[in-house]
Each structure stands twice: as structure tokens, then as C-alpha cells.
Amino acid sequence: MKLIALQLYNFRQFYGKTPIIKFAGGKQNTTVIYGNNGSGKTTLLNAFTWVLYEKFTAAFAAPELLINKRAIAEADCDRAVEFWVEIQFEHDYKRYQLKRKGYATKNKENYLQSNQTKLFILIAADDGRWYPPVEPAEDIIERILPVSLHQYFFFDGERIDHFFRADRNNNIAEDTKELLGVKVLDRAIDHLKKAKKSLQEELEAIGDSTTKKLLQQQIQLESERDRLNVRQQEIIQTIKGLESKKKVITHHLLELSGAEKLQKLKEKLVAQEQLTRQSLIQAKLNLKQLVSNQGYRAFLLATKNKFFQLLKQLRTERQLSSGIKREFLEKLLENETCICGEKLEPDTQAYHQVHSWLNKSETTDLEESVIRLETQVNQFELQLTEFWQQIDRLQNQINHQYTEIAKIENELDKVNKQLRNYPDRDIQKYQENLEFIEEKIKELTLEQGVNQQQLSSDHKIIEELNQQIERHKLKENKQALAKKRIVATQEAIQRLSEVRLRLEKQFRVSLEQKIQEIFKFISFTPYIPKLNLDYQLTLEDNTLDQPTMIAASTGENQILSLSFIGAIIDRVREWSQRNTLMGIDSSTFPIVMDSPFGSLDEVYRRQVAKSLPQLANQLVILVTKTQWRGEVEAEITDYISKEYVLIYNSSKPNCEEDWLKLNRINYPLVKLSSNQFEYTEIVEIERKAQNH
Amino acid sequence: MNVKSALNKIQEPITTADPQIQLIIKRVLQLEKDRLDLKAPRNINEDILKIIKEVIQ
């Protein structure tokens, strides 16, 4: 944050609008504002803290009375009077204009009432025009210079010796850590832990997905399927072999004289059996077809009765026919003669009467349709009888074929028996062989059927398993991803925790180093400042064998605090230049300091004055004439590029006027007010102009 | 140890992480920084979860 300008309106001692106070920057970074006690130095310091944070420093008396006394005295009763402070600053190459407004109203009893203040912010765009930002002003300021840290940058020099007293409520360690970005780290760690928990819950929700078991099952089933397939092929081959063997034996049997007749009979029977079996299959097929095509007829009787009842009812109610056909009426009208002989010429009454019947008559189509439907429905019964007759015929056929097959089989058995017992040993042997082969083929065919059933059921299970495995694989992928994310989150947490640990330790060590450096420069004592884990500063005497703690004097405490502030600014600047991830985006810090030399003696004043302009990027000091003594002026003058004097206009008739002599020119510090009110004027000192 | 290397060392756990972890850390820190002014940032847990899921795929 680089301060650009400040302006006040009806704020405490300052009546109306003050001139714009512009602040020094760059190499000559110091602005000095001179003023006597009571002239408004503390008010100016508090104008900064009020406009930015609506806060006040400890020495600021009666903060509830911010409105200028004259402004409120001149105002009408119950009329709100405005007061405000406006500040302009630059941050990260952007210009900000911040204005806090308050209103005060007095009632008839001169009782003052203040309303809530309002904060307005504008940001300069690249085109130079001012725009209100979308975000609330407080949020923007909080990011630039957090409220908890403002005491490092806007403070009362006479009171900084209290900074490190144990009884102080504010926690310097916490504030400093916030400046470094520890809060960002803490929040990141905390929220990452929560994210990790959510990821773990997600992993649980995905559930157990051991696909191994399923895969094993699949492998087993597949190998069983393969085995069965091989076996089926074997069976086919074996049956083929057996069939050809059978053919050969049958051939041999035919060739052998004596059995020839029997064998031929057997062949004939076998052929007959095959034929009958085929007829049986066909008959069964016909029966099935008949039932599926016409079976419904058996259930139509009730519907048929219902249909005739409905028809009867419609006829009784004459809903089906009016008795007069449309075509008949049309013919009469066309011939222009009624059946009674009366002429039906158009537009006559008789014509209209006959014509009106047209609407009541129905077309022959409907009547015809009804008659057709009636005939068809009447045929149902006949068809049903035919259906049952056909069924009986087919069943008889089937029964007959069964009997026929049984008869053939019986005869075959007989022939086989004869062949088995045939006197010729060879024929007997062939027959036995043949029967053995037939038995074997039967056995194998059975096995083939069983295997086929097994194969088709296995196929279904394998299909299901495949689907399951696919689903589980998907789950497994999700699981793996969830696990990967958990591991990554855990690593991020660990690394951030490590950064936090290092930040706390290293930063404190490097801060202590810088404090010691600054303290050594200012102080003539051999003591060394120590910064403990809670950021409490103590002084140690290292000249003795055993380092001992020193009870610091008020002056030493002031120097300690200044060293601390200077070190903080230096180290945070260093840190923020090196790190854009955590800390605040700032490497420029101002110091606005009221009464910077407090109760220091001459040596310390000189050293403090020497080091002050180097502590911060920008320095605004508010001093009294006595604080601005020779050694201070001598040390700081080279850094000054802006100077203002606060002229206190006293309403006290015999007030003692006072002057400030700068560059051999006298500037009034206290003078008599031209009215009954006391107020302060701000006047810029133009040194360069004086030099010319 | 000088100041610069001491301060650099602080960030070492981030700078030496795998690119994916680094990306998560950087995006989470940026998000936290953007919402630092809010006491209880809304939906921040969901947003962080989203970052992790986007980075680790």
C-alpha cells in the first residue's frame, strides 16, 4: 500500500474541507506534519485508521465525537451534518479512492446523535476513470492490509513501548503469521482434510469390487465349456464311425447267404419305422398347427350367443332398420312420383315430406353387413364341429402310427432275435456287434443331449458373469481413482503442513535476525533482543558467561518495538516478493507515526531518526516542535519531500501564539481564532519555493 | 543462512512436489487467498474437491 493523499471534512478539529494532504514517495519518502499538542496530529493518525478500518488508537479521546464542533453548532436542529475522511492509495499498480462518511444530528437539547458510517470505494481503471468495484470495500481493504495488522503501520510512537507487554490482549504472533499467509495455509490444510474425508466416503460408497472371484468363476466355466465342446466333437466323430461300422456289418450280413432274407426284412422294417416316425412327426405338427390356428373356436360359443341377443335387441328397438331403404326413396324422388301416384315435383310439400325420410333411412350397406356377420357367426358352430373332427382324425392318425411303430419294433426285435440265434456263428457275431454299436450310439446321443443342455446353461452364466465383471471393472477403476485422489490430497496436506512448520520457524529466526540488526544500529547497549515462540521480545545481556534477561527501560522498549516493526516490514516485503501463494500481495508498506520519539534521549533520538526513513517504504511522521529538535531534523531532512503545518486557531482571547521556525522562516502553530470556535488549518510548506 | 535462501527453503515442500500435487496446492492456496476475507467461505469444500478431481483423473 502506497499512500497518495488524505482529505478531511468536518472531522474533529478540521472545519469544512481541508486541503488535500499529499504524501511523499520514492527516494525522499518522508512526509512531516508539524503541530502543537491538541492541534490534530492524533486526529490525523486516527483519520487513517478510521477511514480504513473504523478503528482508533488508544490515545484518541472521545472517539464517539467525530464531527467538527463548529459544523454541528452551525447546523439546524434535527438536520444531519456530514463528516468524512477520504484517502487515496496505490496498491499493486492500481489506484484506490476510499471515503468513509458519517452523519451527526443534534436535537433541541443539544444532544448529539451519530448514525452508522458508510464506506465508499472507487478503483481507477486503466483508462484512468474511476469505477466502483463489485466486491465490498471492507473485503478489498482486508486483502491489501488486514485490520489485525494495522497497528504495525499506524501507531502512536509514545505508546509503542507497550507493544510487547505480556498483558496486551492482541496477539502479535497471530497477526504476524496472518501477514505471512499462515491463515491461508491453515485454511487450506483444514479444507483439504475435509476434502480427503469426502473422498474416503466416496470410496466406501463405491463398495467392494473384488473381481478376482468372478474372474475365477468365469475361467472355470469357460474351461468346462471348452471341455464339453471337445467332447461333443468326439461324440459326433464316434457316432459317425459307429454308423459307418454299422453299415459295413449290415453289408456283410447281406452278403452272407442264409441271413440275406432276414436282413432284407430287417432293412425294410427299419425303413418302414423311419417312414412311420416321420409321418408321426408330421401328424403331431399338423395337430399343433390346427390347435394354434383354430383352437380359439372352442371358446366362441358364449360370445356367439351374446351377439345374437344383441342383434335381437337392436332389431326389436328398430335400431338396425327403419323399414325404408334409402335407395327406394332416392328412386321415388328421381322419378318424381310417389307409390300412391302423387307427383313429387321439387319444392312441393309432398317432395319435402318424402325427402325428409332420407335422413331416417339407412343404406343397404349396413343391413348387408349385419346379414353377412350373422351368416358368418352362424357358421361358427359348424366350424367348431369340423375342428373337433379334424382333431379326432389327427389324434387317431398319431395313435395309429404309435401302434404301427410298436408293431414294427416288435417285428424288428423278432428279426434281431432270429439273427442273434442264427445257426451261423458269423451272423450271430455280426448281429451282436450291430446291437452293441446301436446301444453305444444311443448312449452317446444321450450324452450329446445332456452336454448340449449343459453348454447352453453355461453360456448363459458366462454371459451374465461377463456383464458382472464389466461392471466390477468399472468400479475398480473408480476405486483406484478415488484412492489416487486420497493419496494426492494426503500428500498436499503433508507438504503444506511442512511449509507451515518451516514458515513459523524460519520466519521467526529471520525476523529475530533483522530485529537484532536494527536494535544494534539504534541502541548503544550491548544487549541482544530475543524473539520467543509467541513472538514476545525480550532483551538479553550476552556479555556475561551466562546470558541473562534484562528488564528493558521505556526507551529500550520503544526501540525494541520500532525494531520489530521495521523488521516485520522488511521481512514481509522479502517474503511477499518471493512468494505469491500465501502472504498478502504487498511489498510496499507505509508507516504513519504520531510522536515518533516519545521519551527518548538525544542519542536514541538521533539513531531512531536515522533509521526511520529506511524502515518503511513510506514514512509519515506527526511531530511537535520540541520533538523536532536539531538532531532529528538533521537526520531526516534529506528524506523529506512533503511538509505540512497544523495551525491551531484558539478561541481563547488571551491565547499564547506560537511559531515554528523552518529554514529561517516562521510558521504559525497557534494563533487567535477569527470567530468563537477553535479549529485547525492545514498549510503546506513549500521549501523549494522558499529557496528560490 | 542468508535471508533469501532461508525464505526459499520454506517453500521447498511445494516446489519439490510432483507437478500434479503442486498444481493442487497452488490452486487450493489461490482459492483460500481469494476467500480469506470471508469467515466461512461458501462451498469451499466442494470447490477444493473439484480441484482435486480435475487434477487427478
Side-chain angles (χ1 to χ4, degrees):
Chain A
M1 179 189 267
K2 185 185 167 202
L3 302 171
I4 309 274
L6 183 78
Q7 192 176 26
L8 283 61
Y9 178 74
N10 284 343
F11 193 76
R12 299 280 276 214
Q13 290 98 323
F14 303 95
Y15 173 72
K17 234 189 248 181
T18 66
I20 297 172
I21 305 172
K22 290 185 178 161
F23 299 104
K27 277 193 178 167
Q28 287 180 302
N29 66 354
T30 306
T31 306
V32 185
I33 300 172
Y34 311 94
N36 270 14
N37 290 333
S39 64
K41 295 194 305 298
T42 307
T43 295
L44 281 181
L45 173 68
N46 280 276
F48 284 104
T49 56
W50 184 72
V51 67
L52 288 164
Y53 309 105
E54 213 177 359
K55 298 243 178 230
F56 303 104
T57 58
F60 192 60
E64 65 283 357
L65 300 170
L66 294 176
I67 183 102
N68 178 265
K69 279 181 195 159
R70 181 175 165 190
I72 197 77
E74 286 172 357
D76 296 334
C77 282
D78 298 324
R79 190 161 203 163
V81 187
E82 194 180 86
F83 59 95
W84 50 254
V85 174
E86 190 178 303
I87 187 172
Q88 267 191 45
F89 61 89
E90 201 180 275
H91 177 73
D92 217 6
Y93 304 108
K94 260 189 202 163
R95 276 213 176 197
Y96 295 78
Q97 189 174 298
L98 198 69
K99 188 178 203 168
R100 191 181 291 277
K101 266 186 191 179
Y103 296 90
T105 322
K106 68 167 178 200
N107 60 16
K108 281 181 188 114
E109 288 82 40
N110 262 347
Y111 179 77
L112 266 186
Q113 211 182 347
S114 292
N115 292 332
Q116 265 198 332
T117 67
K118 278 183 191 161
L119 185 61
F120 304 90
I121 189 163
L122 290 173
I123 301 176
D126 294 334
D127 60 4
R129 288 168 65 188
W130 294 92
Y131 293 98
V134 187
E135 277 177 283
E138 287 83 356
D139 293 356
I140 294 171
I141 298 163
E142 191 63 22
R143 255 209 311 276
I144 295 171
L145 203 60
V147 58
S148 60
L149 308 165
H150 78 278
Q151 55 175 345
Y152 294 152
F153 308 102
F154 307 96
F155 56 87
D156 183 345
E158 277 177 352
R159 293 185 176 244
I160 47 170
D161 57 299
H162 298 267
F163 238 65
F164 294 96
R165 290 217 179 139
D167 58 346
R168 270 185 70 99
N169 284 330
N170 54 3
N171 196 335
I172 289 178
E174 290 311 308
D175 294 351
T176 314
K177 285 174 195 167
E178 186 172 340
L179 200 62
L180 298 176
V182 168
K183 201 167 155 192
V184 170
L185 279 174
D186 280 345
R187 280 195 180 195
I189 292 167
D190 188 38
H191 291 141
L192 276 168
K193 278 182 183 164
K194 280 185 184 149
K196 190 182 140 195
K197 205 174 159 227
S198 303
L199 286 168
Q200 279 168 332
E201 280 165 7
E202 273 178 33
L203 180 65
E204 263 174 48
I206 296 169
D208 180 38
S209 71
T210 39
T211 36
K212 263 189 194 162
K213 219 169 124 190
L214 288 169
L215 277 170
Q216 223 168 1
Q217 231 177 315
Q218 192 195 28
I219 291 165
Q220 260 177 8
L221 274 170
E222 276 174 351
S223 74
E224 175 65 11
R225 181 193 62 191
D226 294 344
R227 190 189 65 77
L228 280 175
N229 274 330
V230 171
R231 177 65 192 147
Q232 290 293 76
Q233 287 304 314
E234 269 174 22
I235 291 173
I236 290 168
Q237 287 305 318
T238 316
I239 290 178
K240 219 172 158 185
L242 286 171
E243 293 278 7
S244 61
K245 235 183 195 174
K246 210 173 124 185
K247 244 184 207 164
V248 174
I249 293 171
T250 314
H251 193 66
H252 282 316
L253 273 172
L254 274 173
E255 277 177 350
L256 280 173
S257 56
E260 190 190 343
K261 226 177 170 182
L262 268 177
Q263 191 55 36
K264 273 196 174 151
L265 176 66
K266 190 185 164 183
E267 262 186 10
K268 198 180 137 201
L269 284 170
V270 169
Q272 234 174 14
E273 192 194 358
Q274 268 175 6
L275 211 70
T276 321
R277 278 196 188 277
Q278 264 169 15
S279 310
L280 178 69
I281 290 166
Q282 189 56 49
K284 278 189 165 178
L285 198 69
N286 291 345
L287 184 66
K288 274 182 197 165
Q289 268 173 356
L290 185 67
V291 172
S292 75
N293 283 343
Q294 298 180 32
Y296 70 94
R297 291 195 164 136
F299 306 97
L300 275 180
L301 218 57
T303 318
K304 182 201 133 190
N305 292 338
K306 220 170 159 185
F307 169 73
F308 281 112
Q309 256 172 14
L310 183 69
L311 211 61
K312 199 175 162 190
Q313 193 189 337
L314 288 172
R315 287 220 166 95
T316 323
E317 290 166 10
R318 287 187 164 269
Q319 281 187 25
L320 274 183
S321 167
S322 56
I324 301 170
K325 301 283 174 284
R326 190 182 176 90
E327 290 76 8
F328 170 70
L329 290 168
E330 278 169 357
K331 199 88 192 157
L332 291 181
L333 291 171
E334 196 187 308
N335 294 338
E336 296 189 355
T337 315
C338 184
I339 40 169
C340 61
E342 190 163 345
K343 285 274 173 214
L344 295 173
E345 282 169 2
D347 288 336
T348 57
Q349 201 191 347
Y351 179 90
H352 284 301
Q353 266 175 353
V354 174
H355 192 270
S356 68
W357 274 96
L358 267 179
N359 295 335
K360 294 173 195 165
S361 66
E362 77 282 345
T363 57
T364 40
D365 286 354
L366 177 65
E367 185 69 13
E368 263 175 34
S369 304
V370 171
I371 291 166
R372 242 194 326 271
L373 205 59
E374 225 178 334
T375 324
Q376 277 170 4
V377 174
N378 262 328
Q379 277 171 356
F380 274 177
E381 236 163 316
L382 205 67
Q383 283 168 345
L384 187 61
T385 320
E386 253 173 51
F387 170 73
W388 286 127
Q389 278 168 359
Q390 265 178 304
I391 293 270
D392 286 345
R393 193 167 48 78
L394 282 169
Q395 257 171 350
N396 282 339
Q397 214 178 328
I398 290 165
N399 286 340
H400 171 72
Q401 270 146 354
Y402 273 130
T403 329
E404 197 64 23
I405 288 168
K407 219 164 86 188
I408 296 167
E409 276 179 342
N410 207 8
E411 274 177 57
L412 263 173
D413 268 354
K414 265 188 214 163
V415 174
N416 281 339
K417 205 172 168 189
Q418 275 175 329
L419 282 169
R420 233 181 289 134
N421 299 329
Y422 207 79
D424 189 330
R425 296 283 293 171
D426 280 348
I427 292 173
Q428 266 185 36
K429 216 173 150 192
Y430 278 135
Q431 179 59 26
E432 270 168 22
N433 253 340
L434 211 55
E435 278 180 27
F436 174 77
I437 288 169
E438 272 168 2
E439 196 57 40
K440 194 73 197 164
I441 289 176
K442 204 171 148 192
E443 215 174 87
L444 286 170
T445 313
L446 270 174
E447 192 191 329
Q448 206 178 16
V450 170
N451 285 349
Q452 194 50 49
Q453 275 179 18
Q454 183 68 39
L455 273 171
S456 67
S457 95
D458 281 359
H459 179 71
K460 261 189 205 163
I461 299 173
I462 288 172
E463 282 289 298
E464 272 170 31
L465 270 175
N466 267 338
Q467 284 173 5
Q468 257 178 314
I469 287 167
E470 277 308 309
R471 277 202 297 274
H472 281 253
K473 267 188 186 157
L474 208 70
K475 249 188 193 182
E476 235 163 37
N477 288 345
K478 275 188 192 168
Q479 238 181 6
L481 188 62
K483 278 181 191 160
K484 213 170 133 193
R485 284 172 177 161
I486 292 170
V487 170
T489 313
Q490 181 55 33
E491 196 184 328
I493 294 170
Q494 268 168 356
R495 285 180 183 270
L496 282 174
S497 306
E498 178 61 25
V499 170
R500 194 194 189 290
L501 210 71
R502 287 184 188 196
L503 181 62
E504 285 209 29
K505 202 177 146 207
Q506 308 260 21
F507 191 82
R508 195 178 51 81
V509 171
S510 116
L511 188 64
E512 190 182 52
Q513 233 174 35
K514 186 72 191 176
I515 294 170
Q516 288 169 354
E517 202 180 288
I518 300 174
F519 187 83
K520 204 173 151 193
F521 176 78
I522 300 174
S523 173
F524 54 78
T525 62
Y527 308 144
I528 293 172
K530 289 276 172 190
L531 191 67
N532 75 6
L533 288 173
D534 298 324
Y535 279 51
Q536 274 172 346
L537 261 180
T538 47
L539 267 186
E540 247 178 40
D541 186 354
N542 278 11
T543 51
L544 306 164
D545 291 342
Q546 277 276 315
T548 40
M549 220 171 91
I550 300 291
S553 67
T554 310
E556 276 160 352
N557 264 328
Q558 282 186 1
I559 293 166
L560 267 180
S561 299
L562 266 180
S563 309
F564 180 82
I565 290 165
I568 280 272
I569 290 173
D570 180 79
R571 288 303 187 243
V572 169
R573 185 165 54 210
E574 196 73 48
W575 172 240
S576 64
Q577 274 167 357
R578 228 150 275 285
N579 155 60
T580 49
L581 293 174
M582 293 155 252
I584 59 170
D585 303 322
S586 194
S587 53
T588 310
F589 297 100
I591 284 185
V592 179
M593 205 173 166
D594 185 13
S595 311
F597 309 100
S599 50
L600 300 175
D601 58 34
E602 197 186 317
V603 182
Y604 276 161
R605 285 156 56 84
R606 179 180 291 280
Q607 291 305 95
V608 167
K610 220 186 235 180
S611 57
L612 264 181
Q614 286 156 38
L615 290 183
N617 303 76
Q618 210 182 6
L619 181 65
V620 178
I621 42 180
L622 303 144
V623 285
T624 60
K625 190 168 74 172
T626 46
Q627 283 166 346
W628 193 253
R629 280 212 310 240
E631 65 277 359
V632 173
E633 188 177 2
E635 292 300 337
I636 295 186
T637 302
D638 284 349
Y639 294 97
I640 299 172
S641 63
K642 287 276 173 197
E643 281 172 288
Y644 294 87
V645 64
L646 302 177
I647 306 170
Y648 177 64
N649 290 267
S650 173
S651 56
K652 197 173 148 195
N654 56 347
C655 86
E656 196 180 319
E657 297 199 337
D658 194 11
W659 305 86
L660 169 74
K661 197 170 181 179
L662 281 176
N663 255 8
R664 280 170 279 158
I665 294 178
N666 274 331
Y667 294 91
L669 283 169
V670 180
K671 65 177 192 187
L672 191 65
S673 175
S674 53
N675 50 49
Q676 79 268 32
F677 298 103
E678 48 177 2
Y679 63 97
T680 298
E681 289 170 90
I682 302 174
V683 174
E684 191 178 354
I685 299 172
E686 306 257 5
R687 282 211 196 209
K688 276 179 187 166
Q690 295 159 19
N691 292 339
H692 285 291
Chain B
M1 200 190 300
N2 69 30
V3 185
K4 279 178 190 168
S5 63
L7 294 179
N8 278 342
K9 211 171 158 49
I10 295 174
Q11 297 195 84
E12 208 181 61
I14 298 174
T15 49
T16 56
D18 276 354
Q20 281 189 326
I21 307 288
Q22 244 186 75
L23 191 60
I24 292 179
I25 291 176
K26 284 179 179 170
R27 284 183 61 183
V28 168
L29 286 178
Q30 189 58 51
L31 186 75
E32 294 288 0
K33 212 167 131 180
D34 288 347
R35 306 203 191 161
L36 194 60
D37 43 291
L38 303 168
K39 267 192 186 139
R42 275 170 72 197
N43 301 331
I44 192 138
N45 292 325
E46 286 82 351
D47 291 340
I48 287 180
L49 213 53
K50 213 172 124 191
I51 291 174
I52 297 166
K53 286 183 176 177
E54 272 172 16
V55 175
I56 309 281
Q57 284 192 351

